Amino acid sequence: MKKLLLLTLSLLFTATIATAQEFAMTDGSFVTCSGDFTDSGGLAGDYTNGEDFTITFCSPFPTDDVQATFTLWNVGSGDILLAYDGDTATGSPIGVFNSAITPTVITASAANTSGCLTFRFISNATSTGPGWQATMACIDSCQTISNVVTTVPAPDGDGILRVCQGETVSFSATSTYSVDGTGATHEYRLADGTVVSGTTASQTFSGPGIYEIDYVTFDSTGCRDRLLVDVTVLVSTTPDFTGTLAADTSLCFGESTTISGQVVTTQFIADVAPPVTGQTFLPDGSGVAYQTCIDVTGFNPGTTFQSGSDLVDIFINMEHSYMGDLDITLTAPNGAQVELLNYPNSGGGIFLGNALDDGTTTPGIGFDYVFTESAGGNIRCFYSWSRWRNLYASR
């Protein structure tokens, strides 16, 4: 009997899927000035019975006010969405919405020092619906502050500064203001965490890597520029000179020899923090689909998979009391799908994790399951302590 499935999915990429960010209703807090806020079913599915989730949206800029503009609204009778003017669901809500009352535009008030909005959604046990979609934005009441950072050495034509290990980069900056720059202050937030006050700074980069520098300008009211990365520095790796040989191993004074050089560049690989979803609660039900969204960050806009092998692994932390009734699918924004577990399958009554089969919805203890592609396009699942089962034959 199916009781509960808790999923925590993470993906490791050498490239990623380009997609607009979607925030499905769940317990959590997010810092954003864009994206779609939806019910737990996402843009394509319905929410479920018995939900009680609280979500908070804040801006990365403390002087902003978060705004939610609802473009779709369709909830079942008795289900309610509460909106709070702040970063917690405490006090009196500024809006209560149900099947008869539709939200439109909700904005954090001027008295709200956090600038955040918090939403709590409660669904009853008898009805569901398509839910909602809202566009998230940040309202900026500050003047426009623009910075120009100049570096020595200068960046390449693509705007990226490329240097060798041990090289020192000097920074200098100027600022312009749409209203007034009187009393403005400036600081560099360097890649090593150092903060340097003023309009000039320098940093020596001793190791290979990708480094981001933020030059911050505050006006007299506390407003700042809105560019979070002003300079990106790529520091080279150490090349491999194995195979470089001289024609002669010993020479007398005044003699010469020929040296044949060989060099192989060393690839730099940056570990990007894997995107992780929240928990997905799956109540008992036959033929009902539930989904959670994986928001991928850490790559340039428009970056896409170049091949199927770019998707390295999928991790699911899961507990479930009956494997035989599961069908698990990973869907890309363009609609392409990978079946991780087909239904029907031969899993039968196999327990995943330490699932509780006691008639309650109390979660048990999830185990980590790693899905990876093997030869022939097969998907294999490896258990957390080296046991594995072939869950999927071919795709």
Side-chain angles (χ1 to χ4, degrees), residues 277-349:
T277 72
Q279 294 180 339
T280 299
F281 174 64
L282 300 183
D284 287 339
S286 176
V288 181
Y290 304 94
Q291 69 180 39
T292 188
C293 294
I294 307 170
D295 295 314
V296 180
T297 59
F299 298 88
N300 291 328
T303 305
T304 59
F305 279 135
Q306 300 303 305
S307 69
S309 61
D310 288 339
L311 177 59
V312 179
D313 289 312
I314 303 169
F315 301 84
I316 302 181
N317 182 276
M318 174 168 33
E319 68 92 354
H320 187 67
S321 61
Y322 194 85
M323 180 174 151
D325 62 6
L326 284 180
D327 185 280
I328 305 176
T329 304
L330 180 68
T331 304
N334 66 358
Q337 293 184 332
V338 174
E339 287 283 347
L340 304 181
L341 177 62
N342 273 333
Y343 175 83
N345 58 70
S346 59

Side-chain angles (χ1 to χ4, degrees), residues 186-246:
H186 314 273
E187 65 183 35
Y188 286 89
R189 298 176 181 178
L190 301 180
D192 61 0
T194 303
V195 176
V196 178
S197 298
T199 60
T200 61
S202 65
Q203 182 174 7
T204 300
F205 297 91
S206 58
I210 302 173
Y211 301 88
E212 295 179 335
I213 289 84
D214 184 15
Y215 178 69
V216 184
T217 296
F218 293 99
D219 67 14
S220 59
T221 68
C223 293
R224 64 154 290 177
D225 68 284
R226 300 182 71 83
L227 189 60
L228 297 177
V229 178
D230 292 87
V231 180
T232 300
V233 181
L234 300 187
V235 181
S236 64
T237 57
T238 301
D240 181 2
F241 292 97
T242 300
T244 298
L245 299 172

Side-chain angles (χ1 to χ4, degrees), residues 154-170:
D156 293 336
D158 60 0
I160 303 298
L161 176 58
R162 295 172 173 85
V163 298
C164 296
Q165 296 176 51
E167 194 166 353
T168 298
V169 178
S170 298

